Amino acid sequence: MIFTLPPLPYAMDALEPLMSQQTIEYHYGKHLQTYVDNLNRLTEGTPYSDFSLEQIILVATGPVFNNAAQVWNHTFYFEQLSPSPRPLAEGALVDAVIRDFGSLEGLKNEIIRASTALFGSGWVWLVCDRRDHLAILPLQNAGNPLTHNLTPLLAVDVWEHAYYIDYRNRRADSVGALWDRIDWTVVSERFCRMMRK
Ligand code: MN
């Protein structure tokens, strides 16, 4: 199996001005491409070349895990953003957000708080456990909730490469801007898919 760069679901400049074309060109076109290339180089001729990304994430360690998880995490991240994001509509996810965070604003504040508190590079995840409870899960480096037996719903990339061109050291501002490009229909579908399992 050859791992390939997932398609970007919008144009490189579609998230301007909150996320610049240059940021997407580097983040998607160079960083994500490098993870894909590294993963192919590391897995070629090994049993991993027949695995799915999820299978690799669950069993691999070291560089193979890091590059596989970064491909998965970035695919998930770019897919949840949109130039015309749809708001969170009535339904199971709204009910869970209100129950566990008080409001959507409460969830946003918790994600920004966790993003600024995470030391170094990593990801802040909105996750769901087996009892349908929501939680914020900060993970360093390439961390992925699947290895914690949790279902990811939303990913916030807090690696400096995700925001430094547009926001320099202002990580909280970059997460606030990202928030305004989250397509809640995508996040709700992830939640409903998990509930059906
Ligand atoms: Mn990234």
Side-chain angles (χ1 to χ4, degrees):
M1 177 175 189
I2 304 289
F3 298 98
T4 55
L5 187 69
L8 189 69
Y10 34 79
M12 293 268 195
D13 64 353
L15 304 181
E16 296 259 13
L18 294 177
M19 199 178 286
S20 69
Q21 177 172 344
Q22 193 181 27
T23 286
I24 300 287
E25 284 171 355
Y26 275 84
H27 198 185
Y28 172 80
K30 295 189 187 294
H31 288 280
L32 178 51
Q33 181 71 62
T34 300
Y35 296 129
V36 171
D37 293 344
N38 286 344
L39 183 61
N40 281 320
R41 182 174 48 77
L42 289 163
T43 56
E44 188 182 3
T46 77
Y48 289 127
S49 62
D50 294 324
F51 284 26
S52 68
L53 274 181
E54 285 87 352
Q55 289 171 323
I56 295 177
I57 286 168
L58 289 173
V59 300
T61 57
V64 173
F65 168 83
N66 287 338
N67 286 282
Q70 285 294 73
V71 173
W72 196 99
N73 295 357
H74 283 91
T75 304
F76 196 80
Y77 170 85
F78 286 118
E79 281 176 353
Q80 76 199 1
L81 304 179
S82 169
S84 46
R86 288 163 293 184
L88 184 54
E90 300 274 305
L93 182 57
V94 178
D95 296 344
V97 166
I98 290 171
R99 182 195 63 212
D100 296 333
F101 299 98
S103 64
L104 192 60
E105 191 68 16
L107 169 61
K108 177 184 178 182
N109 291 338
E110 283 298 308
I111 285 182
I112 290 177
R113 193 203 319 266
S115 298
T116 52
L118 195 152
F119 186 80
S121 296
W123 296 81
V124 172
W125 300 89
L126 173 64
V127 296
C128 190
D129 68 17
R130 297 279 156 165
R131 291 174 299 170
D132 302 339
H133 280 94
L134 305 180
I136 306 290
L137 180 69
L139 295 173
Q140 288 188 310
N141 301 320
N144 181 295
L146 298 175
T147 64
H148 299 256
N149 207 19
L150 294 165
T151 301
L153 302 178
L154 177 70
V156 177
D157 186 344
V158 297
W159 284 59
E160 287 185 348
H161 71 219
Y163 62 85
Y164 220 80
I165 291 170
D166 296 331
Y167 296 90
R168 298 300 174 185
N169 60 321
R170 293 178 289 118
R171 182 184 283 188
D173 290 350
S174 78
V175 177
L178 180 85
W179 193 261
D180 293 332
R181 286 291 170 268
I182 293 170
D183 191 329
W184 287 96
T185 303
V186 174
V187 182
S188 295
E189 280 166 6
R190 291 168 176 171
F191 186 63
C192 292
R193 200 158 51 231
M194 190 223 69
M195 303 261 278
R196 284 197 293 270
K197 277 188 182 169

